[in-house]
Amino acid sequence: MDKMDKQRLIDYEDSIVAAFNRREIASPIHFSGGNEEQLIGIFRQIRPQDWVFATYRSHYHALLKGVPEEWLTEWIRDNKSIHLMSKEYRIVTSAIVGGHLPQAVGMAMAIKLKGLDERVWAFCGDMAAETGTFHECHKYATRQGLPVTFVVEDNGVSTNTPTQDTWGRQCAGSDNVVRYSYQRVHPHYGTKENPWNRGEERKAGAF
Amino acid sequence: MTYREELFRAMDVLAQDDRTLFLGQCVVNSGTFMYHTLKNIPLTKRIEMPVIEDTQMGISIGLALAGYVPVSVYPRMDFLICATNQLANHLDKIAEMSSGQFNPKVIVRSAVGSTNPLFPGPQHCNDYCDSLRSSLRNVDVVQLREAAQIVPAYRQALDSPRSTVVIEYPDLYDSS
């Protein structure tokens, strides 16, 4: 593949903008712009065998992963920009905020189980990075030692909603969480002597 | 054979396939009725998960994209619907979204909670099969109403190119 530099990324996206403005593409498109240098730097670390899980704004990601411009243009003109997928170039995206993140973790789990020399790169926006899904995925992947890197693309807004304003900017600290520990006495369900036992599951104490 | 015995057989059938992995809460540790039907399966094929229903479904999809056939376990349908985003927005749509390049196959194993001898209340015994069917166009939903259905249904789920949600009825466990 030819080297994809900043100007080439911009020129490509501008060509799609022009086609959209000529009403040649009848589907929603989320355009990239202003993040060329950051992405070029990140993609220097991403190898062909690695997987990219990205968002509905992923033209740059595809180009930097090696997807040919002609293929990408055809895909976009087929009204599929917001769910850009390439098995050959190992790209998976979702048009649902954070929807691809658990899938990225699953792919990383598979890579670890198979002992492969591959890595997953999971891109998301700043609002996605505040969601419960992100925190579950990041915590699970980190504690399980899965080969995945999360990249937060922070432009400060989600659609036009200012991400940090909606969450609140006041730092609450952790003094509004009360936690206590205890050793449980009874099993999860019922009692050890469960008089309602019926069948081997309950006799075995599963309930 | 009883419903329960057929479930043991079905899980053995699934476990014999090199592609399968069983994941969910209480697949390694006891605590739900489904655990007992899995305890003969090698631990190398079982992954105990935290309670992260939707994320678990997404992880299952990721495993499937890598070639595994995950058996994603949700002990009750009431819990499964917490995974509806990954089920309806992703598992059901990825083949369409990717123009057929990706076709992740997941076997979802869940159950309608028993109401006898204990009634578990409004959040533990619902049957959402009809609403799931109306939400899914590429994922099959199969209800196991009789013991004789169980092994064929799980074999079909394993052989099918489509994902399948298989729903069990623990109130029938002792029936044949």
Side-chain angles (χ1 to χ4, degrees), chain B residues 105-175:
Chain B
K105 187 172 86 170
V106 176
I107 298 173
V108 179
R109 184 183 174 198
S110 190
V112 175
S114 63
T115 56
N116 182 36
L118 300 177
F119 178 68
Q123 293 180 318
H124 271 46
C125 57
N126 288 288
D127 188 337
Y128 291 112
C129 286
D130 289 343
S131 53
L132 268 191
R133 277 198 191 93
S134 67
S135 304
L136 304 173
R137 54 178 178 254
N138 298 306
V139 175
D140 295 320
V141 179
V142 176
Q143 293 165 278
L144 301 180
R145 298 284 195 187
E146 297 176 5
Q149 283 181 272
I150 293 173
V151 172
Y154 275 109
R155 275 193 205 282
Q156 171 65 20
L158 190 59
D159 294 339
S160 171
R162 292 157 62 95
S163 292
T164 309
V165 177
V166 184
I167 302 301
E168 301 167 10
Y169 292 85
D171 273 335
L172 302 175
Y173 266 27
D174 293 320
S175 67

Side-chain angles (χ1 to χ4, degrees), chain A residues 5-103:
Chain A
D5 61 20
K6 177 179 179 179
Q7 192 55 51
R8 192 163 167 188
L9 288 171
I10 293 171
D11 290 346
Y12 179 84
E13 200 73 319
D14 283 349
S15 74
I16 303 300
V17 168
F20 185 80
N21 287 341
R22 290 193 299 268
R23 303 182 63 153
E24 294 171 5
I25 304 169
S27 61
I29 298 183
H30 300 277
F31 291 102
S32 293
N35 56 343
E36 296 84 7
E37 292 177 6
Q38 296 93 323
L39 282 178
I40 288 169
I42 289 166
F43 271 84
R44 285 196 187 105
Q45 304 172 69
I46 301 177
R47 305 165 299 170
Q49 71 265 36
D50 292 340
W51 286 81
V52 168
F53 284 72
T55 72
Y56 35 78
R57 180 180 288 106
S58 59
H59 298 172
Y60 280 180
H61 306 70
L63 293 169
L64 290 165
K65 190 67 170 60
V67 171
E69 292 178 50
E70 301 74 22
W71 187 95
L72 180 58
T73 301
E74 188 176 337
W75 186 272
I76 294 167
R77 284 180 173 273
D78 199 20
N79 298 322
K80 297 183 287 195
S81 169
I82 63 171
H83 45 81
L84 203 168
M85 305 275 205
S86 171
K87 189 170 187 177
E88 180 178 357
Y89 291 93
R90 300 189 162 201
I91 299 172
V92 177
T93 71
S94 173
I96 304 293
V97 170
H100 57 297
L101 297 175
Q103 299 158 25

Side-chain angles (χ1 to χ4, degrees), chain B residues 32-49:
Chain B
T32 75
F33 49 89
M34 284 190 180
Y35 162 78
H36 294 279
T37 64
L38 299 168
K39 61 187 178 186
N40 295 335
I41 294 169
L43 280 170
T44 52
K45 289 181 79 84
R46 289 187 273 161
I47 301 171
E48 185 80 359
M49 295 297 294

Side-chain angles (χ1 to χ4, degrees), chain A residues 75 80 83 85-87 91 94 96 99 102-103 106-107 110 113-114 136 140 196 198 201-202 204 206-207, chain B residues 4 21 31 33 36 49 52 55 58-59 62-63 66 68 85-86 90 97-99 101-102 114 116-118 173:
Chain A
W75 186 272
K80 297 183 287 195
H83 45 81
M85 305 275 205
S86 171
K87 189 170 187 177
I91 299 172
S94 173
I96 304 293
Q103 299 158 25
M107 179 62 75
L113 286 168
K114 295 179 178 181
E136 289 179 357
Y140 186 81
W196 296 96
R198 173 195 69 132
E201 283 89 0
R202 292 175 187 180
F207 279 38
Chain B
R4 182 198 330 276
L21 281 175
F33 49 89
H36 294 279
M49 295 297 294
I52 45 174
T55 293
I59 288 173
L63 286 164
Y68 286 103
N85 168 46
Q86 287 294 333
H90 295 89
M97 290 161 58
S98 68
S99 298
Q101 294 177 88
F102 296 109
S114 63
N116 182 36
L118 300 177
Y173 266 27

